[in-house]
C-alpha cells in the first residue's frame, strides 16, 4: 500500500498554527528502523490574520508546505527516505569525504583539496545537489594546479578528478547519506588524446651520463624510461614481480595503479641490472628520497 502524505495544521498554545505532514500508513526510517507518522515542518501560520501582509505570508507558507508535501510523496514513491533523518542533512559532507580518504589512493586527497577550495571549507549534506556538483565540475575545468598555481589543471587530470568525485557521490548514495543518485544528472568531463613524449636514444644516453646524488633515484628514472612504467607503479614493484620469462629473459608482472589492470612486460638484461641486488634492493626506497 502506497503511503499517502497529507498536509495538516495544529493550533499551539501560543495561538500560532503549526504545519506538519501526516504519513499513512507510517513510514519506516531505514537508518533508525523506527516508524514515523508525523513530520513537523517548522512552518507557522498566523491565526485569524487581519492585515494584508499576514494573509499574504500565510498564503506563501501554505504554498511552500504544499510543495514539500508533494516532494515527499514523490520521494516515497521512489523509495527514498533520506528526508526522515534530519541529522543526516546537517552532517558535514567535507568530514564524510575526509573519512573516505584512508581507503583510497592519493588522487582522492587531491580531489578533496580541490573540493575544499571550491566550497570554501564548508559543505553540508543538504547542500550537495546536482547544481552544486555541476559547479564543481566547471571549477575543475578551469582550476589551477595545487602545487603550481601558474599552470592550469590538465584536461585529463580534471576528468580523472571528476570521475573520482562521482565515485564518492555513488558511495554516499549507497550509504544513504544522499537521497538521490546525483550521477544520473551529471555529465562527464571528456578526456583528450595526448601526444606521448619520448626521449631519443642520445637523450637517454645523456641522462645516463648525468651525475645524481641519489643512485637509486637515477636508476629508477632510467628504469622508467626503458620500461615506460609510471613512478607510482615503480614504487610498488617488489622482487616477486620480476620473473624469468619463457624465452630465458626477464619480465615484470604487475598491476597498474592507474588502470588496475594486470600486465606482463618483457625487459632487457640492462633494465634488469638497474634493479640492483635481488636480496637487498627495492625501488620503494625512492619514496624516502628528499
Amino acid at each position: 500500500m502506497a503511503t499517502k502524505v497529507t498536509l495538516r495544521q495544529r493550533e499551539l498554545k501560543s495561538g500560532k498554527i503549526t504545519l506538519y505532514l501526516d504519513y499513512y500508513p507510517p513510514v519506516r526510517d531505514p537508518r533508525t528502523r523506527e516508524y514515523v507518522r508525523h513530520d513537523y515542518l517548522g512552518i507557522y501560520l498566523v491565526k485569524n490574520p487581519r492585515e494584508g501582509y499576514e494573509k499574504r505570508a500565510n498564503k506563501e507558507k501554505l504554498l511552500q508546505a504544499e510543495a514539500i508535501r508533494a516532494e515527499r510523496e514523490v520521494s516515497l514513491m521512489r523509495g527514498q527516505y533520506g528526508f526522515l533523518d534530519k541529522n543526516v542533512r546537517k552532517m558535514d559532507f567535507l568530514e564524510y569525504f575526509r573519512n573516505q580518504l584512508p581507503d583510497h589512493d592519493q588522487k582522492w586527497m587531491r580531489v578533496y583539496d580541490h573540493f575544499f577550495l571550491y566550497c570554501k571549507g564548508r559543505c553540508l549534506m543538504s547542500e550537495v545537489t546536482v547544481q552544486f556538483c555541476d559547479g564543481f565540475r566547471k571549477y575543475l575545468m578551469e582550476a589551477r594546479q595545487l602545487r603550481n598555481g601558474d599552470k592550469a589543471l590538465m584536461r585529463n587530470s580534471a576528468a580523472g578528478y571528476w570521475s573520482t568525485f562521482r565515485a564518492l557521490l555513488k558511495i554516499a548514495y549507497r550509504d544513504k547519506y544522499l537521497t538521490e543518485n546525483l550521477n544520473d544528472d551529471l555529465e562527464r568531463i571528456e578526456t583528450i588524446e595526448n601526444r606521448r613524449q619520448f626521449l631519443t636514444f642520445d637523450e637517454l644516453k645523456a641522462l645516463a651520463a648525468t651525475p645524481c646524488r641519489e643512485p637509486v633515484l637515477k636508476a629508477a628514472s632510467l628504469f622508467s624510461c626503458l620500461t615506460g612504467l609510471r613512478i607510482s607503479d615503480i614504487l610498488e614493484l617488489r622482487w616477486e614481480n620480476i620473473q624469468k620469462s619463457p624465452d630465458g629473459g626477464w619480465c615484470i608482472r604487475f598491476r597498474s595503479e592507474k588502470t588496475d589492470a594486470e600486465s606482463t612486460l618483457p625487459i632487457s638484461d640492462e633494465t634488469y641490472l638497474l634493479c640492483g641486488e635481488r636480496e637487498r634492493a627495492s625501488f620503494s626506497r625512492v619514496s624516502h628520497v628528499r
Side-chain angles (χ1 to χ4, degrees), residues 218-224 226 269-276 283:
K218 180 177 180 178
S221 299
L222 292 171
F223 189 88
S224 176
L226 293 172
D269 290 340
E270 292 81 6
T271 305
Y272 175 79
L273 291 175
L274 289 171
C275 299
F283 281 131

Side-chain angles (χ1 to χ4, degrees), residues 176-286:
K176 302 186 186 313
Y177 287 102
L178 296 178
T179 60
E180 58 180 324
N181 186 6
L182 303 179
N183 284 317
D184 291 342
D185 298 309
L186 293 173
E187 297 181 6
R188 296 174 55 193
I189 296 180
E190 299 295 335
T191 58
I192 57 177
E193 185 176 352
N194 290 327
R195 178 180 298 176
R196 301 195 64 174
Q197 300 293 327
F198 299 92
L199 292 178
T200 65
F201 181 66
D202 289 338
E203 289 172 334
L204 185 58
K205 287 197 300 181
L207 178 64
T210 301
C212 181
R213 289 181 299 178
E214 298 288 348
V216 68
L217 182 59
K218 180 177 180 178
S221 299
L222 292 171
F223 189 88
S224 176
C225 292
L226 293 172
T227 61
L229 291 179
R230 303 177 183 88
I231 185 63
S232 58
D233 292 325
I234 291 177
L235 291 175
E236 293 299 318
L237 282 181
R238 298 296 182 268
W239 276 112
E240 54 264 30
N241 300 121
I242 302 178
Q243 304 172 12
K244 276 284 188 180
S245 60
D247 62 3
W250 296 97
C251 66
I252 302 175
R253 299 183 186 275
F254 70 104
R255 181 181 294 275
S256 172
E257 181 184 7
K258 184 172 183 179
T259 64
D260 198 34
E262 290 188 350
S263 302
T264 299
L265 177 67
I267 60 174
S268 65
D269 290 340
E270 292 81 6
T271 305
Y272 175 79
L273 291 175
L274 289 171
C275 299
E277 299 180 22
R278 194 174 188 92
E279 293 77 15
R280 295 185 292 107
S282 171
F283 281 131
S284 64
R285 288 158 49 195
V286 175

